[in-house]
Amino acid sequence: MTRSARIDGFDRKLLAIVQHDADTPTEILAERVGLSASAVLRRLKRLKADGVILANVATVDPLRVGKPVFFVVALEVERERPELLGRLRQWLNADAHVQEVFYVTGSADFILIVAAPDVEAYDALMSRLIADNPNVRRFTTNVALGVGKRSLAVPIQVWNQAI
């Protein structure tokens, strides 16, 4: 998808709805958006093909699957050469415990959100990170004591109102 993909008001409304419930029946989507069910299906198919919709996923309650510990990690690198950053990004993307990776300004170069079953598993992950990526200078860790909100929904401006 190019950044200039055409997304109209109907697409925006669809995206706002399916971000919060991808299981919403087509008939309900059609009613809420003001299109036919077949038009909604065509639009969703196009949005997926264009890479606007990246995946349809289920949000899992962490308390019901082993209560992982969440860590917010500030990571600093030695050099910001493209090939070194690319290798680090590949490593981070390949590990399932690393949930989110943000390349940021400020004292850290990356902010990571990591979910691990316990502190020992987190420590092992970070030991592998350092061993496999000599360009990592250091990292600092914050342990989440509680989770107030988790979301990957992108705020979408729809017909002059945020949804």
Side-chain angles (χ1 to χ4, degrees):
M1 180 200 110
T2 63
R3 291 198 188 276
S4 62
R6 295 272 182 193
I7 299 175
D8 65 15
F10 292 111
D11 293 333
R12 290 178 176 283
K13 185 73 170 175
L14 278 172
L15 290 169
I17 296 167
V18 299
Q19 277 191 103
H20 296 284
D21 185 1
D23 288 334
T24 303
T26 306
E27 296 77 22
I28 303 266
L29 290 172
E31 183 180 306
R32 289 186 185 169
V33 175
L35 294 171
S36 68
S38 60
V40 165
L41 285 173
R42 280 192 305 273
R43 284 172 179 269
L44 289 173
K45 184 177 180 180
R46 178 182 44 80
L47 290 166
K48 288 176 186 175
D50 288 350
V52 176
I53 295 176
L54 299 175
N56 293 332
V57 298
T59 303
V60 176
D61 183 349
L63 297 176
R64 298 189 182 255
V65 293
K67 195 177 177 183
V69 181
F70 291 93
F71 302 88
V72 180
V73 182
L75 188 84
E76 293 178 38
V77 297
E78 289 288 338
R79 291 174 290 296
E80 293 192 53
R81 292 192 351 231
E83 69 277 6
L84 296 174
L85 292 179
R87 186 171 141 209
L88 176 60
R89 284 185 175 112
Q90 284 180 328
W91 193 98
L92 295 169
N93 289 339
D95 193 285
H97 293 96
V98 180
Q99 306 241 301
E100 297 182 66
V101 177
F102 299 94
Y103 185 47
V104 298
T105 62
S107 60
D109 298 300
F110 291 91
I111 298 293
L112 315 176
I113 305 299
V114 176
D118 52 41
V119 173
E120 291 78 17
Y122 171 76
D123 187 48
L125 170 73
M126 297 313 283
S127 292
R128 285 192 316 275
L129 171 74
I130 296 296
D132 294 347
N133 295 280
N135 191 40
V136 172
R137 177 184 310 155
R138 71 184 191 105
F139 64 90
T140 57
T141 303
N142 292 294
V143 178
L145 300 176
V147 179
K149 178 182 179 179
R150 291 183 68 211
S151 175
L152 292 178
V154 176
I156 295 178
Q157 190 74 23
V158 179
W159 296 310
N160 296 325
Q161 61 187 31
I163 292 184

